[in-house]
Amino acid sequence: MAFESLSEKLNSVFKKLRGKGKLGEQDIKDAMREVRMALLEADVNYKVAKQFIADVTERAMGQEVMESLTPAQQVIKIVNDQLTELMGGTEAARIHIKSKPPTVLMMCGLQGAGKTTHTAKLAKYFIREGHRPLLVACDIYRPAAVDQLKIVGAQAGATVFSLDGEKPEVIAKKAVSHAKDYGNDIVILDTAGRLHVDEELMAELGRIKEAVEVDETLLVIDAMAGQDAVNVAKSFADSTGLDGVILTKLDGDTRGGSALSVRAVTGKPIMFAGVGEKLDDLEVFHPARMASRILGMGDVLTLIEKAQTNADQKKAEKTAKRLLENKFDLTDMLDQFEQVKKMGGASAMLSMIPGANRVSDDDLEQGEKELARMKAIIQSMTPAEREKPSIINPKRKRRIAAGSGTRVEDINRLLRQFEQMQKVIKQMKKNPKGFGRSLRGLGGMFR
């Protein structure tokens, strides 16, 4: 999980600060020294980390902290504000879609960064927004690059344009004409990469920009590349010009320092973050929300958005009605597990819940296993047993355990959990207003 080690170290620093009443200059200097080490260990660029600490220290030494009744909370707020500013400010950077189509986006980056996959992810994102993107295969060098784009493009539901035997700039130009003729309002050019930045690569990107009017140039970089990712971003920004960055594999790097460094070094915003292997695993990059995650405050807004994106509205209404009528059964409970899975599993959800950074990897893994175990148990039940768990006697329990590869003790635990859930629902119903608020507050969580 991105920033895991940084989050742990920062929370350790803040815990020490909370243990003090008033803070003196030495307390703040000691804390900032630990924060700087945490940033450097997380692969944050040295100059960026140095400037960050200087900015935080200057504000932390001011009256708002020194004379505050809760100085530790003030320091945390300052760190949060500076992290948000470092990654791009309070507003997420957006791709500007022209009123006169098509809007042309050019994807660039090194080989292996995930350009082709994220071209399809971006297409799926735009399709959900109501657009008709056209994907263009401009990588004519890498074996099977065109075929890969066609496969992921089809999975995303987007049309792919390709031409055999033509140069990339010619393909791009004809693709734009094709888009105008067939009503595609966005054109995404999947360009070739290299093992490293070189003049030939930059020259080709330059020729494409001469052939077509590129509205946004997006650099795809691998978050797990650490400092190399920042160096690559700077090279592209200086040579070909960038409008934004897509950071991939942000779910797989426990350090994540490149996300804190890229904007400061290039001056270009991170627009999207790849957070998984599925085509839906692309998030708009919100600096303020990411800062909140890093500091262990969670990211409830993104969690709600994920829930709304993955929720089945009819199923949500049906579940709410069954809750109100005391008809919520184990089949409904199984539906909730499926919704959790759609949202990326327990670990993806917990990473957005305040305090979740304190949950260990072992606990997360155990949670995923427990969800899978409960699913297997419910799926091994008959419809009558799911609807009325009270009929499940010892003989039925042994049959369900054998069918699900679990133990009778696991069956008993699931049934107790279900009984507890029903008790909670009954208590909520005693306060109709509170019950309604609770249902609304759950958003997509129980859809």
Side-chain angles (χ1 to χ4, degrees), residues 344-359:
S347 59
M349 288 176 61
L350 284 172
S351 69
M352 300 177 196
I353 296 173
N357 63 298
R358 294 186 289 275
V359 179

Side-chain angles (χ1 to χ4, degrees), residues 198-385:
D198 58 28
E199 291 184 9
E200 187 179 350
L201 171 62
M202 297 306 175
E204 182 172 293
L205 295 176
R207 289 195 296 273
I208 292 174
K209 283 192 168 186
E210 289 176 3
V212 297
E213 183 182 341
V214 174
D215 299 293
E216 303 262 0
T217 301
L218 304 177
L219 174 66
V220 181
I221 54 176
D222 184 345
M224 297 182 73
Q227 286 296 308
D228 285 342
V230 180
N231 296 334
V232 167
K234 191 171 189 315
S235 296
F236 272 90
D238 293 343
S239 301
T240 193
L242 296 178
D243 296 290
V245 172
I246 297 177
L247 206 56
T248 72
K249 303 178 187 176
L250 199 56
D251 58 314
D253 187 12
T254 59
R255 295 167 300 178
S258 51
L260 298 180
S261 308
V262 165
R263 186 182 182 279
V265 171
T266 65
K268 304 302 176 183
I270 299 172
M271 291 185 165
F272 295 93
V275 292
E277 296 179 359
K278 298 177 182 177
L279 293 183
D280 287 318
D281 294 334
L282 184 73
E283 294 179 0
V284 173
F285 190 85
H286 294 270
R289 299 185 192 180
M290 187 57 71
S292 182
R293 283 196 216 181
I294 293 170
L295 297 182
M297 300 174 189
D299 182 2
V300 177
L301 287 175
T302 297
L303 181 61
I304 291 170
E305 286 173 4
K306 272 181 171 283
Q308 290 173 338
T309 299
N310 291 290
D312 183 322
Q313 191 62 39
K314 288 184 179 179
K315 189 173 286 187
E317 292 170 359
K318 179 183 175 183
T319 300
K321 185 178 180 182
R322 289 177 66 80
L323 279 168
L324 288 165
E325 296 174 353
N326 266 352
K327 292 181 180 179
F328 188 86
D329 61 19
L330 287 167
T331 299
D332 298 309
M333 196 173 181
L334 184 62
D335 286 339
Q336 308 319 308
F337 296 155
E338 291 298 330
Q339 291 301 322
V340 170
K341 187 177 179 181
K342 283 183 181 180
M343 291 169 65
S347 59
M349 288 176 61
L350 284 172
S351 69
M352 300 177 196
I353 296 173
N357 63 298
R358 294 186 289 275
V359 179
S360 69
D361 286 342
D362 290 340
D363 289 337
L364 288 175
E365 186 177 345
Q366 189 59 37
E368 297 281 6
K369 287 180 180 177
E370 184 64 20
L371 279 177
R373 187 182 297 117
M374 290 193 291
K375 273 185 62 178
I377 291 171
I378 296 173
Q379 288 170 336
S380 296
M381 294 178 182
T382 65
E385 289 167 344

